[in-house]
């Protein structure tokens, strides 16, 4: 009698090719599915027999566009959290770590992601820094030589999202343009991930012409339609789960051309709601057919990344699967990787810990500052000034540019009665010690001080508040703990999450990291931050590839024009 390692009996097994569940017995040997018995007339000699009657057997979920650093967790701690949500394969794009430590940062993330319970593949960061040295100062750079070298690593699955979408259309001499040309010639078929909000028409066509054939960013229905019509693969994150978008995909049966992804999942959200399983379940709640949701969380992402060894339950495929009682919830009761159980409720993760190099724990290099540091000089002789202000909006990470009149006292802008908060970005990589000021209004916090080194993508130190004393105190706090995200008022910490690994990662278990971040989020809302995701909103105030006005250590950046603009509006100048 043939012997196998695992014999799963009586489950309702997902068939990706006919897009249906069917009762069957499933055999696993040497970490792969070896037989799907739909007649249920065979009995095999098995080391383990698993009675799965009444349960559904789904492939492990595959998230092909996400960023480990967005969870603020190290790869191992995240991997165990992913396993509990039925996710067995991810493709992470480590441009956040690359912005802090360059090529070394990427290689350390690859090392830290080995010997964990799920498969972690990587995209090659293609825009580090996201723009240029003139607009931001990052701690590391990834150029043509580094991108080419990364192609040789077996963990690399794709070219990561090309975020400098305006730059690649206008500046063909950029390293990323050279690399895209190299990939098209030397590695045809390698997936190239896109990031092109707002591009339509001729610009979208030109972007596609570079070989960049996917997009995961937020779009209008017309933008989605143009992407699908032009052969672009659509990666759907939660904020794209809008009824008109789903209705369009459903009515045109466009399931082959899309997959669910998470992009950025905060630690507290992951622990409370889930990861890719949450996105798929929400889509089903909104009318996306269950069978197609399973398909777009397993099979289509596998095909997109050329993972032809997984994403389905079939002979020869890797035995990554989960058992669930109600498939529409995507909530597993048991998860298997390579035919071995890696998660079930109550089972404690086996955390070994990964020690990063010593300098990864000493990456925040800012001086001690006093309240006087935060004085904003005004033009000589002025009694008032008009200033550019970043107006935070509730939805998304975009800001709007606004002009606000402020008085001048003793040669400095008297901003504290203006209804705005002062913001400052301090270069923290130890490169040039530069700094820049800006002002916030809108749906941001109204009182207190928020500070973080988790600032997309350059990850310098951002502090914004209503009190120079508290701002100076917050900078000192982050400096001492070498990175973090915290809320301060009256020189007291209201909530914080320490991020000692390169100023962007916590080494605490997933539950602890999630709880600490949840507290920060709650306090930010108590301080008046009205955004649906205040953590991400604040962290993107320094992102110079996201419209409209952002603040880096180089100054205020008008992102559509990709140029610096002055904080104080000159006489006769118009916004």
């Amino acid at each position: 009698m043939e012997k196998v390692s695992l014999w799963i009996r009586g489950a309702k097994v997902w068939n990706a090719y006919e897009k249906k569940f069917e009762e069957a017995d499933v055999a696993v040997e040497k970490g792969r599915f070896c037989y799907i018995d739909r007649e249920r007339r065979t009995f095999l000699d098995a080391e383990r027999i698993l009675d799965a009657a009444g349960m559904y057997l789904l492939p492990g979920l595959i998230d092909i566009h996400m960023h480990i650093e967005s969870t603020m967790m190290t790869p191992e701690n995240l991997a165990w959290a992913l396993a509990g949500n039925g996710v067995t394969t991810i493709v992470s794009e480590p441009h956040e770590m690359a912005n802090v430590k360059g090529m070394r940062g990427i290689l350390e993330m690859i090392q830290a992601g080995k010997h964990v319970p799920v498969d972690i593949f990587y995209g090659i960061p293609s825009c580090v820094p996201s723009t240029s040295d003139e607009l931001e100062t990052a701690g590391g750079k990834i150029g043509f030589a580094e991108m080419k070298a990364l192609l040789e690593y077996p963990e690399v699955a794709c070219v990561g999202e090309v975020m400098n979408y305006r730059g690649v259309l206008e500046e063909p001499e950029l390293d990323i343009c050279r690399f895209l040309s190299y990939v098209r010639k030397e590695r045809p078929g390698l997936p190239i991930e896109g990031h092109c909000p707002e591009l339509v028409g001729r610009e979208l066509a030109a972007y596609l012409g570079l070989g960049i054939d996917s997009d995961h960013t937020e779009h209008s229905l017309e933008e989605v339609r143009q992407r699908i019509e032009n052969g672009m693969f659509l990666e759907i994150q939660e904020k794209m789960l809008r009824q008109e978008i789903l209705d369009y995909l459903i009515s045109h049966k466009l399931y082959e051309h899309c997959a669910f992804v998470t992009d950025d999942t905060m630690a507290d959200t992951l622990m409370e709601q889930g990861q890719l399983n949450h996105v798929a379940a929400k889509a089903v709640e909104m009318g996306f057919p269950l069978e197609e949701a399973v398909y777009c969380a397993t099979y289509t992402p596998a095909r997109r990344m050329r993972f032809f060894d997984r994403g389905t339950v079939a002979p020869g495929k890797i035995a990554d699967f989960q058992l669930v009682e109600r498939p529409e919830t995507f909530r597993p009761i048991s998860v298997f990787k390579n035919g071995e159980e890696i998660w079930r409720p109550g089972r404690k993760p086996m955390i070994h810990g990964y020690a990063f190099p010593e300098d990864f724990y000493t990456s925040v290099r800012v001086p001690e500052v006093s309240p006087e540091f935060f004085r904003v000089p005004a033009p000589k002789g002025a009694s008032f000034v008009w200033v550019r202000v970043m107006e935070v909006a509730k939805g998304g990470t975009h800001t709007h540019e606004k002009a606000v009149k402020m008085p001048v006292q003793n040669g400095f802008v008297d901003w504290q009665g203006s209804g705005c908060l002062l913001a400052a970005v301090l270069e923290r990589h130890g490169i040039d010690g530069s700094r820049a000021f800006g002002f916030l209004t809108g749906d941001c916090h109204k009182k207190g001080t928020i500070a973080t080194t988790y600032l997309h993508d350059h990850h310098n130190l951002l502090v914004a508040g209503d009190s120079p004393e508290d701002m100076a105190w917050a900078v000192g706090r982050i400096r001492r703990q070498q990175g973090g995200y915290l809320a301060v008022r009256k020189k007291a910490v209201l909530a914080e999450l320490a991020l000692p690994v390169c100023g962007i990662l916590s080494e605490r278990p997933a539950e602890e990291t999630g709880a600490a971040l949840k507290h920060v989020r709650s306090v930010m809302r108590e301080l008046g931050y009205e955004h649906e995701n205040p953590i991400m909103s604040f962290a993107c105030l320094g992102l110079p590839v996201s419209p409209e006005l952002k603040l880096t250590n180089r100054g205020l950046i008008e992102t559509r024009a990709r140029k610096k603009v002055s904080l104080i509006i000159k006489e006769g100048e118009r916004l």
Side-chain angles (χ1 to χ4, degrees):
M1 182 182 294
E2 182 181 355
K3 187 168 184 176
V4 296
S5 57
L6 178 63
W7 185 227
I8 309 156
R9 296 182 56 81
K12 297 174 183 177
V13 180
W14 170 248
N15 184 322
Y17 309 103
E18 295 182 340
K19 294 185 180 180
K20 67 180 184 181
F21 290 99
E22 52 191 354
E23 191 168 315
D25 296 341
V26 178
V28 175
E29 174 62 12
K30 295 181 180 179
R32 293 179 180 260
F33 298 114
C34 62
Y35 182 46
I36 315 300
D37 182 10
R38 296 174 176 86
E39 300 297 325
R40 302 199 65 207
R41 295 177 179 176
T42 303
F43 186 82
L44 300 177
D45 183 13
E47 296 175 16
R48 180 186 178 189
I49 297 175
L50 178 59
D51 182 3
M55 290 185 278
Y56 292 79
L57 190 153
L58 281 64
L61 305 187
I62 301 174
D63 186 354
I64 61 171
H65 190 104
M66 60 87 67
H67 307 280
I68 291 175
E69 299 95 320
S70 291
T71 69
M72 304 184 195
M73 287 188 269
T74 56
E76 185 178 25
N77 283 310
L78 172 62
W80 286 105
L82 292 173
N85 287 286
V87 179
T88 54
T89 300
I90 61 172
V91 179
S92 175
E93 207 266 70
H95 68 260
E96 313 293 357
M97 184 61 83
N99 268 275
V100 182
K101 288 293 183 181
M103 186 71 162
R104 287 182 62 225
I106 298 170
L107 298 181
E108 284 296 329
M109 289 297 281
I110 291 175
Q111 278 298 121
K114 293 182 177 180
H115 312 299
V116 300
V118 306
D119 284 339
I120 302 179
F121 294 91
Y122 294 88
I124 298 173
S126 59
C127 298
V128 178
S130 67
T131 53
S132 66
D133 290 339
E134 288 73 33
L135 302 184
E136 58 184 312
T137 301
K141 295 181 181 179
I142 300 298
F144 177 83
E146 289 83 4
M147 288 185 267
K148 182 180 176 183
L150 285 167
L151 283 173
E152 304 306 314
Y153 284 80
E155 296 87 355
V156 167
C158 65
V159 178
E161 58 181 297
V162 182
M163 294 186 296
N164 193 3
Y165 57 100
R166 298 283 180 192
V168 296
L169 296 180
E170 299 170 9
E171 303 175 53
E173 72 282 0
L174 291 174
D175 275 9
I176 178 56
C177 294
R178 292 174 55 211
F179 183 62
L180 292 178
S181 178
Y182 177 84
V183 167
R184 293 198 301 275
K185 180 180 179 181
E186 302 295 333
R187 294 286 296 272
L190 184 73
I192 303 174
E193 293 288 276
H195 172 119
C196 55
E198 303 178 336
L199 284 191
V200 292
R202 183 68 186 90
E203 288 184 323
L204 178 62
Y207 191 74
L208 278 159
L210 296 172
I212 311 166
D213 58 354
S214 78
D215 195 9
H216 69 282
T217 52
E218 190 171 4
H219 297 293
S220 67
L221 177 58
E222 177 57 26
E223 289 169 353
V224 168
R225 184 180 290 114
Q226 288 200 26
R227 278 151 180 75
I228 294 290
E229 289 174 347
N230 285 283
M232 198 171 229
F233 190 81
L234 192 66
E235 296 172 351
I236 307 167
Q237 57 177 298
E238 184 177 6
K239 62 185 177 183
M240 276 294 286
L241 294 180
R242 301 199 302 270
Q243 200 62 56
E244 69 273 15
I245 303 295
L246 295 184
D247 289 347
Y248 167 71
L249 297 173
I250 294 166
S251 64
H252 291 80
K253 295 180 170 59
L254 296 169
Y255 311 113
E256 302 293 330
H257 308 288
C258 63
F260 296 121
V261 299
T262 61
D263 194 17
D264 299 298
T265 304
M266 302 279 104
D268 56 337
T269 301
L270 192 156
M271 298 311 299
E272 292 185 351
Q273 297 181 0
Q275 205 251 1
L276 192 66
N277 56 335
H278 168 69
V279 179
K282 186 172 180 178
V284 172
E285 287 180 5
M286 297 177 67
F288 207 85
L290 171 62
E291 292 78 9
E292 305 296 354
V294 176
Y295 194 68
C296 292
T298 56
Y299 192 70
T300 61
R303 285 196 308 175
R304 164 68 188 163
M305 286 295 149
R306 282 56 169 176
F307 294 155
F308 300 121
D309 60 354
R310 67 194 69 200
T312 181
V313 182
K317 306 300 182 184
I318 294 174
D320 295 353
F321 65 94
Q322 56 185 307
L323 296 173
V324 303
E325 292 181 334
R326 295 170 52 214
E328 70 275 11
T329 68
F330 289 87
R331 286 289 178 184
I333 59 174
S334 184
V335 180
F336 287 73
K337 182 79 185 72
N338 300 318
E340 298 290 336
E341 188 178 49
I342 58 173
W343 182 88
R344 64 177 180 272
R347 179 175 177 176
K348 291 185 178 180
M350 298 174 58
I351 304 293
H352 298 95
Y354 179 82
F356 288 88
E358 185 177 348
D359 63 301
F360 280 50
Y361 300 95
T362 57
S363 67
V364 180
R365 302 171 187 172
V366 295
E368 291 282 359
V369 298
S370 67
E372 288 71 31
F373 178 88
F374 295 100
R375 296 191 298 182
V376 181
K380 187 175 181 179
S383 59
F384 68 88
V385 291
W386 285 90
V387 299
R388 286 183 171 84
V389 175
M390 293 181 288
E391 185 175 36
V392 178
K394 289 182 181 179
T397 56
H398 296 190
T399 64
H400 303 292
E401 185 175 346
K402 183 178 181 179
V404 175
K405 185 178 180 181
M406 297 185 183
V408 173
Q409 293 289 337
N410 300 319
F412 296 97
V413 179
D414 184 12
W415 55 270
Q416 287 181 280
S418 67
C420 299
L421 301 173
L422 177 64
V425 173
L426 287 67
E427 189 276 312
R428 63 94 167 181
H429 303 293
I431 295 174
D432 61 16
S434 54
R435 65 174 185 185
F437 294 117
F439 293 102
L440 299 181
T441 191
D443 296 321
C444 58
H445 55 298
K446 310 301 185 295
K447 56 188 177 181
T449 291
I450 310 296
T452 188
T453 46
Y454 187 87
L455 182 62
H456 292 299
D457 279 338
H458 45 82
H459 297 297
N460 287 301
L461 194 160
L462 169 65
V463 58
D466 61 357
S467 162
E469 288 76 16
D470 280 353
M471 294 172 71
W473 195 90
V475 170
R477 177 77 176 187
I478 281 188
R479 180 177 181 269
R480 289 189 295 276
Q481 66 184 19
Q482 282 298 299
Y485 212 126
L486 74 159
V488 171
R489 197 168 190 207
K490 297 181 180 179
K491 296 184 179 180
V493 172
L494 303 180
E496 71 177 336
L497 170 62
L499 300 171
V501 181
C502 291
I504 59 175
L505 298 181
S506 165
E507 293 183 301
R508 295 161 66 180
E511 294 83 359
E512 294 181 19
T513 299
L517 192 64
K518 180 180 180 180
H519 190 205
V520 173
R521 186 191 303 273
S522 175
V523 168
M524 289 178 73
R525 289 191 170 124
E526 290 174 7
L527 295 175
Y529 220 118
E530 301 175 38
H531 197 278
E532 59 190 15
N533 187 346
I535 299 289
M536 184 58 70
S537 171
F538 191 76
C540 286
L541 292 176
L543 182 59
V545 293
S546 174
E548 175 177 81
L549 185 67
K550 296 298 172 75
L551 179 66
T552 76
N553 64 296
R554 295 299 186 195
L556 284 171
I557 311 299
E558 206 292 297
T559 63
R560 289 191 175 95
R562 293 185 297 127
K563 67 177 184 180
K564 290 192 292 184
V565 293
S566 61
L567 174 62
I568 296 175
I569 301 169
K570 298 177 183 178
E571 187 174 351
E573 185 180 1
R574 292 186 177 183
L575 291 185

